[in-house]
Amino acid sequence: MRNYSPDLTPPWKKKQAPVPEVPAEVDLVVEEVSTGFCGAVIRCEKTAEGPTVTLEDRFGKHRVFPLTPRGFLLEGKVVTLVRPSASAPAGPARTASGSLAVPGARARVARAGRIYVEGRHDAELVERVWGDDLRIEGVVVEYLEGIDDLPAIVAEFAPGPDARLGVLVDHLVPGSKESRIAASVTHPDVLVVGHPYIDVWEAVKPSSVGIAGWPVVPRGQDWKTGVCRALGWPENTGAAWQRILSGVRSYKDLDPSLLGSVEHLIDFVTAP
């Protein structure tokens, strides 16, 4: 009887399964595997050391990485980034959120888990950008008209491992009322995340709305009405919102702080 010794082949010499090659197109969002740095592609360059890609993270920080095989994660899967070719055919279609589109996919039966948002505008914005993804995943988004009673709302929902609850909160900054309410929810099957803005309107990039920037509204004034006044728009917040929403065509029109929060919620409620 022969005794076989363990496989002593060094890991770098073992044959690895092939991974997809993905053109590093501008605005493609990837994660570099060794550092965890996540950002959108800004450019690819040919250098003396080989081709590189520059990524920009949600805070505007840039980092340059070599285009090494199996060097990046795209939607959680290992890929090899390659320099895009000017003559290359168009890549696969993508949803408004930047995910790969699934032609002909049917909506999944709704999960028990849910994503709650504060108001109708938040829900409409999430639907505009992530609607296709949510239908494929079977995730329903509902709005609450505020989160003052969030602990009671969570208790009524009765979350569990098979029915997770994600909550998107406006103005989630240290010291705010919203941060105190969010901190009071500690259930392991509930995730509360948010963005720093007073209202989700501000999460839309000003350039997408055709304005130079979001105005500062004095305290004590209704924020949405104050925005309309400062911009010279009619004081009709419903019409103003439709004007803002019409400028949103994809994730590129939104601030990264909102993008990261919504993606986190979707991952949380769909986790096995």
Side-chain angles (χ1 to χ4, degrees):
M1 180 175 178
R2 293 184 180 180
N3 292 320
Y4 292 93
S5 61
D7 183 3
L8 300 179
T9 306
W12 61 86
K13 289 189 177 181
K14 292 183 180 180
K15 187 175 181 180
Q16 293 180 305
V19 300
E21 290 190 349
V22 178
E25 303 283 358
V26 172
D27 289 332
L28 180 71
V29 178
V30 294
E31 178 181 337
E32 202 277 328
V33 294
S34 63
T35 63
F37 186 89
C38 183
V41 173
I42 299 299
R43 60 182 172 271
C44 282
E45 295 177 298
K46 186 177 181 180
T47 71
E49 291 76 26
T52 64
V53 62
T54 302
L55 304 182
E56 180 183 57
D57 72 3
R58 57 184 292 188
F59 304 108
K61 182 179 179 180
H62 291 191
R63 287 191 63 176
V64 180
F65 298 99
L67 290 180
T68 54
R70 307 174 67 91
F72 298 86
L73 296 177
L74 175 61
E75 298 178 3
K77 297 181 180 179
V78 178
V79 299
T80 295
L81 287 189
V82 296
R83 294 182 68 199
S85 170
S87 58
R94 293 185 175 273
T95 67
S97 71
S99 300
L100 292 177
V102 183
R106 301 178 67 178
R108 176 175 174 165
V109 174
R111 296 173 182 266
R114 291 286 187 274
I115 291 177
Y116 285 170
V117 298
E118 286 205 52
R120 181 170 60 86
H121 294 177
D122 306 67
E124 290 178 349
L125 188 59
V126 169
E127 164 62 27
R128 173 64 63 92
V129 176
W130 289 274
D132 290 338
D133 309 65
L134 294 168
R135 280 182 283 279
I136 289 176
E137 295 289 351
V139 178
V140 175
V141 175
E142 301 179 8
Y143 64 89
L144 303 174
E145 294 295 355
I147 62 161
D148 288 351
D149 298 322
L150 186 59
I153 291 168
V154 169
E156 182 180 359
F157 181 82
D162 296 323
R164 291 182 167 184
L165 177 62
V167 184
L168 181 69
V169 177
D170 297 339
H171 199 223
L172 193 61
V173 296
S176 68
K177 176 192 74 172
E178 291 82 0
S179 68
R180 291 191 293 273
I181 294 172
S184 70
V185 178
T186 58
H187 196 288
D189 296 307
V190 179
L191 175 66
V192 182
V193 296
H195 58 78
Y197 300 116
I198 294 174
D199 191 273
V200 77
W201 286 20
E202 275 193 292
V204 179
K205 292 180 178 177
S207 58
S208 299
V209 186
I211 59 177
W214 290 104
V216 176
V217 177
R219 296 190 65 174
Q221 240 186 80
D222 176 74
W223 189 84
K224 292 177 181 176
T225 302
V227 166
C228 292
R229 288 174 184 163
L231 295 176
W233 295 353
E235 293 182 21
N236 180 331
T237 57
W241 169 242
Q242 291 307 313
R243 179 174 182 169
I244 295 166
L245 188 61
S246 67
V248 178
R249 290 165 290 278
S250 76
Y251 71 95
K252 299 176 185 179
D253 297 303
L254 301 182
D255 184 86
S257 63
L258 179 64
L259 296 176
S261 292
V262 176
E263 297 284 355
H264 195 181
L265 290 176
I266 294 174
D267 290 344
F268 180 78
V269 300
T270 59

